[in-house]
């Protein structure tokens, strides 16, 4: 069985101060519901369960520390818009439902950030989708048509306008959408964990190794504990298959990010742009770029088929070199700025771009295959799994069920290990001018 591992390299997590401790679980424990996985799905599910049933008892179990999984390793965009594949659908009603679900997730996160004063650089900075050359421009034109067709608000920006924001003339054009937010993902996840309702107990460094159905519920095993419960919520992302669910349906894809130290005053002057923005690439195989509120620049690009789930350390020097090339091409005036951290993280995709949400077996609730936009999608999934587990019937839950689907069966792993890297290499080659 492959379990999550943390390699101490994720910049967002490593720069945190005074990380709280939730002791590992030991002995025999009885609770109403166990939530496995402390990412966006698990944290939202645990909170919502506790809100729905203030007298219930809930346990959130995380194999690592909350914030060390994908939810603390991402690029920090909480995106309101439907994913590109969904945006391409002709069904405007479906897109409106997705937008409304994502916005509900953003509001839910923001309510907690405000209530508990979570210091995570949360900002209504919107999102820039940017093109470098002719190939990117084609994608951008297509994106503009999709936004127009959906009646969404957006703004087009020229190279000159972008230069004053980003401090580089590297981008030829961009489309700005105002709806999404930016954040420091590991800080957000720690804040969510630190402020759980009282009837949620958190256990970190506790990996569930087996789930067994008993007469009236389930027994979950970890190496030091045995937990009895009535219901289970799985927010285990790519590791879900290791617990026996959604085998052959989850495509684990890893992408990589690097982060600089905060720019010095002198470097900031040479940079010449603004703080607190985020660019996603018009061509999805391109580069994501962030400038944080605390003056750090983050570069994300490169993909690999993560058959082994965790990040092989030997890949990181090569990745960092690629990130440095992307950085130097954008910021020749900052040749002295090098990356302090480089890390990988894996998301669950599906072969047919469908996301799973629901009660997979009586008493076991899960969502997965969020297509790597899990900050909003994972949050709303966790909230709605909790409502489903509590028997709450709402329009939001009905919408959630409607926008979800059945991830298709994938080819056998040996074929994926050959086919997926080949497809990725072809995409990398086709998109080389946009990286
Ligand atoms: C580099 C990168 C950039 C990204 N950028 C963005 C972005 O900007 N915006 C966006 O929306 N999405 C982004 N994503 C995707 C996003 O991070 C994921 O979609 C999201 O975090 C998934 O949330 P989750 O709760 O489903 O899973 P996770 O965050 O992976 O949480 C699952 C948790 O379960 C734990 N776990 C697994 N198995 C067990 C077990 N047996 N016992 C106990 N615990 C277990 C894991 O340790 C993990 O912490 C990015 C991803 C990466 C890697």
């Amino acid at each position: 069985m492959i379990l999550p591992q943390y390699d101490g390299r994720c910049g967002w997590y490593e720069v945190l101060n005074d990380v709280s401790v939730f002791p590992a679980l030991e002995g025999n424990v009885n609770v109403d519901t166990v939530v496995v996985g402390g990412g966006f799905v698990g944290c939202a599910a645990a909170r919502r369960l506790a809100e729905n049933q203030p007298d219930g008892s809930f346990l959130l179990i995380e194999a690592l520390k909350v914030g060390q999984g994908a939810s603390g390793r991402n690029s920090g965009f909480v995106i309101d818009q439907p994913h590109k594949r969904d945006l391409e659908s002709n069904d405007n009603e479906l897109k409106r439902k997705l937008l409304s679900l994502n916005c509900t997730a953003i509001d839910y996160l923001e309510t907690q950030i405000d209530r508990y004063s979570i210091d995570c650089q949360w900002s209504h900075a919107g999102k820039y989708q940017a093109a470098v050359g002719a190939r990117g421009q084609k994608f951008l034109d297509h994106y503009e048509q999709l936004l127009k067709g959906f009646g969404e608000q957006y703004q087009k920006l020229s190279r000159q306008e972008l230069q004053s924001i980003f401090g580089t003339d590297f981008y030829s054009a961009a489309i700005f959408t105002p709806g999404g937010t930016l954040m420091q993902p590991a800080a957000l996840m720690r804040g969510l964990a630190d402020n759980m309702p009282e009837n949620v107990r958190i256990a970190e460094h506790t990996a569930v190794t087996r789930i067994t159905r008993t007469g009236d519920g389930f027994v979950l095993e970890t190496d030091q504990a045995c937990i009895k419960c009535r219901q289970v919520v799985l927010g285990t992302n790519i590791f879900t298959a290791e617990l026996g669910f959604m085998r052959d349906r989850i495509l684990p894809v890893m992408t990589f990010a690097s982060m600089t130290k905060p720019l010095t005053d002198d470097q900031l002057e040479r940079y010449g742009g603004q703080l607190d923005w985020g660019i996603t690439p018009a061509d999805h195989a391109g580069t994501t770029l962030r400038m944080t509120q605390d003056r750090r620049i983050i570069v994300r690009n490169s993909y690999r088929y993560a058959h082994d789930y965790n990040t092989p350390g030997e890949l990181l020097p090569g990745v960092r070199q690629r990130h440095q090339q992307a950085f130097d091409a954008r910021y020749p005036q900052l040749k002295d700025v090098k990356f302090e951290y480089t890390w990988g993280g894996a998301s669950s995709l599906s072969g047919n771009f469908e996301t799973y949400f629901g009660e997979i077996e009586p008493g076991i609730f899960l969502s997965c295959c969020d297509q790597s936009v899990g900050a909003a999608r994972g949050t709303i999934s966790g909230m709605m799994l909790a409502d489903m587990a509590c028997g709450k019937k709402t329009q939001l839950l009905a919408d959630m069920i409607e926008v979800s689907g059945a991830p298709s069966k994938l080819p056998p792993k040996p074929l994926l290990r050959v086919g997926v890297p080949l497809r990725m290499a072809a995409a990398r080659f086709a998109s080389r001018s946009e990286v």
Side-chain angles (χ1 to χ4, degrees), residues 170-190:
F170 191 75
Y171 293 100
S172 56
I175 286 178
F176 174 73
T177 46
T181 58
L182 293 177
M183 44 82 181
Q184 204 284 35
L188 172 58
M189 296 318 295
R190 289 313 302 177

Side-chain angles (χ1 to χ4, degrees), residues 1 3-4 36-42 61-64 69-71 73-77 206-208 235-237 239 243 255-257 300 345-347 370 372-376:
M1 178 179 196
L3 289 170
V36 190
F40 287 114
V41 173
I61 298 185
E62 169 53 53
L64 308 170
S71 296
R73 304 166 85 82
N74 57 61
S75 300
F77 293 82
T206 302
V208 173
T236 38
N237 197 6
F239 294 93
L243 289 169
T255 184
F256 299 87
R300 186 218 54 82
S347 295
D370 64 29
S372 206
V373 284

Side-chain angles (χ1 to χ4, degrees), residues 64-208:
L64 308 170
K65 300 263 305 167
V66 172
Q68 290 181 338
S71 296
R73 304 166 85 82
N74 57 61
S75 300
F77 293 82
V78 193
I79 300 171
D80 59 331
Q81 291 290 334
H83 194 263
K84 182 170 168 280
R85 283 276 166 165
D86 294 315
L87 217 45
E88 281 170 348
S89 150
N90 292 323
D91 185 347
N92 270 353
E93 189 56 25
L94 176 102
K95 288 186 268 192
R96 261 189 286 280
K97 284 179 179 167
L98 281 162
L99 182 66
S100 151
L101 288 161
N102 288 342
C103 289
T104 304
I106 292 174
D107 286 350
Y108 195 63
L109 291 172
E110 186 159 287
T111 302
Q112 292 162 63
I113 289 161
D114 288 347
R115 184 176 301 156
Y116 305 114
S117 305
I118 298 174
D119 183 7
C120 65
Q121 301 187 32
W122 182 262
S123 138
H124 287 266
K127 179 170 82 68
Y128 296 87
Q129 188 131 321
V132 179
R135 181 178 165 88
Q137 188 61 54
K138 261 196 209 159
F139 282 99
L140 211 56
D141 292 344
H142 178 56
Y143 180 52
E144 184 179 7
Q145 290 315 312
L146 296 177
L147 289 175
K148 257 192 198 156
F150 186 34
E152 275 303 286
Q153 218 190 322
Y154 68 92
Q155 189 190 343
K156 282 168 82 173
L157 291 106
S158 67
R159 191 187 295 275
Q160 238 180 354
E161 289 167 313
L162 296 174
Q163 181 166 11
S164 68
I165 303 167
F166 305 146
T168 172
D169 64 359
F170 191 75
Y171 293 100
S172 56
I175 286 178
F176 174 73
T177 46
T181 58
L182 293 177
M183 44 82 181
Q184 204 284 35
L188 172 58
M189 296 318 295
R190 289 313 302 177
L192 297 178
D194 287 342
N195 295 286
M196 275 290 162
E198 276 183 8
N199 53 339
V200 177
R201 176 177 176 187
I202 300 181
E204 294 182 319
H205 294 304
T206 302
V208 173

Side-chain angles (χ1 to χ4, degrees), residues 6-17 68 186 341:
Y6 184 63
D7 57 9
R9 294 177 196 265
C10 175
W12 295 121
Y13 189 89
E14 293 303 311
V15 300
L16 297 177
N17 295 316
Q68 290 181 338
Y341 299 101

